[in-house]
Amino acid sequence: MADGPSGPTPSQLSAALDPQERESAQAVVKSAAEEPYPDWAAPSREAAVEATAALSLAHGDVEHKKATEQRKSILDSLVRTILSQNTTDKTSAVAFARLKEGLPTWSQVLDAKEGVAEELVRCGGLAEVKMERVRAILRDDRVRTDGEPSLEWLHERDDAEVKRVLTSFKGVGPKTVACVMMFTMGRAEFPVDTHVLHIAKKLNWLPADASREQAYEHLNRRVPNECKLDLHILLVEHGKCCAKCAKNGKLQKKESAVDACPLVGL
C-alpha cells in the first residue's frame, strides 16, 4: 500500500471528544441500529425501483449531478452541505463557490481576518453561525492531521466510524452526514431532506407524523442500495418541479415544471 496520512488512531478519536460529545456520538450510532417502524412494509423494493424509473423518465438521468459531487473532497462536501442548511441548493452553491474563490484553501479560511469568510457566504444566510461551525471543524485535531485540513482518511473507515466522527461536529446532523457519505464517499446512504420527506409521506412510505430522523432510519433500510443515490437526487428534483409534490405547492424550478406527475398511481 502507498504511504501517506492515515488519520488519527481510535484512541485519538476518542480523546478528541469531551465526555458529553462522546455520549452524543454514541447515541447517534446506537439510534442508527433502531428501526422506528418495523411493521411498516413500505416502500417495497419493487416500489422504490419503480419510482426511480418513473422519475428518470420525467427528469432525465442524474450522472452530471453524481459526477459533480463525487469530485469534491470529504471536507469540501461537508462544508458545502453545512452552507446549504436553511437555504436553497442554488443559493448555497453560490455561497460555497464564493468562499472557495475568495479563500481557496481551508488554511486560508482559518487565517482570514474576522468577518472575511462570513461576507463571502453572506448570500446563503446565517453566515456567522455557519462559519463559526466550519472553523470549529477546521481547528479540530482530527481534521488537522497533516498540514492542510483534511478528512480524506475517513475513506478508510467503516460506516459506523464515519458517522461517529462526522456527527461529533457541532451543527452536523444525520442528513448532512448521509449526504457526504452518499455523494462523496460512495456509501449506500439515503439522505432525507424536505422534498424526500414530503413525497415519501404522500406515497405512504412513511407514517404522516414521521420526523426527518425517523424517515431516514426507515427509508435507509427499505430503499435498495443500488438505487439510493439516483432516487434521492430524483425525489429532490421532483419536489422542485411538480406542483402536486412540492411542499405547499410552491415550485422552486418553474422552468422545469412537469405537466403530469409520474408518481400518480404508484
Side-chain angles (χ1 to χ4, degrees), residues 72-192:
K72 291 187 176 77
S73 70
I74 295 176
L75 192 52
D76 278 17
S77 181
L78 181 60
V79 174
R80 168 73 172 82
T81 309
I82 290 172
L83 293 180
S84 74
Q85 295 169 357
N86 300 106
T87 190
T88 65
D89 287 342
K90 184 176 180 180
T91 301
S92 63
V94 172
F96 182 76
R98 289 178 178 175
L99 179 64
K100 295 296 284 185
E101 181 179 0
L103 299 167
T105 70
W106 295 120
S107 291
Q108 288 175 308
V109 171
L110 280 175
D111 296 338
K113 293 182 179 179
E114 183 177 352
V116 172
E118 284 79 357
E119 285 307 310
L120 290 172
V121 302
R122 182 75 59 193
C123 65
L126 300 175
E128 282 74 22
V129 173
K130 291 176 181 178
M131 287 312 305
E132 178 184 359
R133 291 174 176 175
V134 169
R135 277 191 287 267
I137 291 171
L138 296 177
R139 293 189 183 106
D140 192 288
D141 288 341
R142 296 164 295 172
V143 178
R144 296 185 66 85
T145 55
D146 186 25
E148 184 66 20
S150 173
L151 281 170
E152 293 306 284
W153 56 271
L154 283 176
H155 280 295
E156 305 302 320
R157 306 304 168 94
D158 64 24
D159 289 353
E161 185 168 353
V162 172
K163 291 178 180 180
R164 186 163 53 247
V165 171
L166 294 181
T167 54
S168 72
F169 297 131
K170 186 175 181 180
V172 177
K175 177 209 164 187
T176 296
V177 172
C179 283
V180 172
M181 292 179 70
M182 180 186 70
F183 282 119
T184 303
M185 302 182 71
R187 307 292 177 94
E189 288 287 313
F190 192 72
V192 175

Side-chain angles (χ1 to χ4, degrees), residues 10-264:
S11 60
Q12 289 172 324
L13 285 171
S14 179
L17 300 175
D18 63 32
Q20 184 175 1
E21 288 175 323
R22 279 199 296 272
E23 183 177 350
S24 175
Q26 289 165 357
V28 169
V29 173
K30 181 180 179 181
S31 69
E34 299 171 356
E35 160 63 90
Y37 309 114
D39 299 323
W40 197 277
S44 66
R45 178 185 186 85
E46 293 74 17
V49 171
E50 187 178 358
T52 304
L55 290 169
S56 295
L57 288 175
H59 301 292
D61 67 58
V62 297
E63 293 306 315
H64 174 70
K65 170 75 172 176
K66 288 159 65 174
T68 299
E69 294 296 332
Q70 288 165 353
R71 284 197 296 269
K72 291 187 176 77
S73 70
I74 295 176
L75 192 52
D76 278 17
S77 181
L78 181 60
V79 174
R80 168 73 172 82
T81 309
I82 290 172
L83 293 180
S84 74
Q85 295 169 357
N86 300 106
T87 190
T88 65
D89 287 342
K90 184 176 180 180
T91 301
S92 63
V94 172
F96 182 76
R98 289 178 178 175
L99 179 64
K100 295 296 284 185
E101 181 179 0
L103 299 167
T105 70
W106 295 120
S107 291
Q108 288 175 308
V109 171
L110 280 175
D111 296 338
K113 293 182 179 179
E114 183 177 352
V116 172
E118 284 79 357
E119 285 307 310
L120 290 172
V121 302
R122 182 75 59 193
C123 65
L126 300 175
E128 282 74 22
V129 173
K130 291 176 181 178
M131 287 312 305
E132 178 184 359
R133 291 174 176 175
V134 169
R135 277 191 287 267
I137 291 171
L138 296 177
R139 293 189 183 106
D140 192 288
D141 288 341
R142 296 164 295 172
V143 178
R144 296 185 66 85
T145 55
D146 186 25
E148 184 66 20
S150 173
L151 281 170
E152 293 306 284
W153 56 271
L154 283 176
H155 280 295
E156 305 302 320
R157 306 304 168 94
D158 64 24
D159 289 353
E161 185 168 353
V162 172
K163 291 178 180 180
R164 186 163 53 247
V165 171
L166 294 181
T167 54
S168 72
F169 297 131
K170 186 175 181 180
V172 177
K175 177 209 164 187
T176 296
V177 172
C179 283
V180 172
M181 292 179 70
M182 180 186 70
F183 282 119
T184 303
M185 302 182 71
R187 307 292 177 94
E189 288 287 313
F190 192 72
V192 175
D193 76 337
T194 300
H195 302 292
V196 173
L197 180 64
H198 183 65
I199 297 173
K201 288 181 178 180
K202 287 178 69 70
L203 291 170
N204 202 34
W205 289 0
L206 295 163
D209 61 351
S211 68
R212 186 179 294 183
E213 289 73 22
Q214 290 169 325
Y216 163 73
E217 294 295 349
H218 180 71
L219 295 175
N220 203 43
R221 289 169 170 79
R222 300 294 307 178
V223 175
N225 287 346
E226 62 269 22
C227 67
K228 281 180 176 177
L229 177 55
D230 286 22
L231 183 57
H232 169 83
I233 294 173
L234 288 164
L235 285 172
V236 172
E237 179 70 10
H238 191 64
K240 299 174 182 178
C241 304
C242 176
K244 287 183 178 293
C245 294
K247 192 172 183 180
N248 300 321
K250 297 180 179 179
L251 298 183
Q252 292 183 20
K253 298 178 72 173
K254 294 181 180 179
E255 71 281 2
S256 302
V258 296
D259 296 325
C261 178
L263 298 178
V264 172

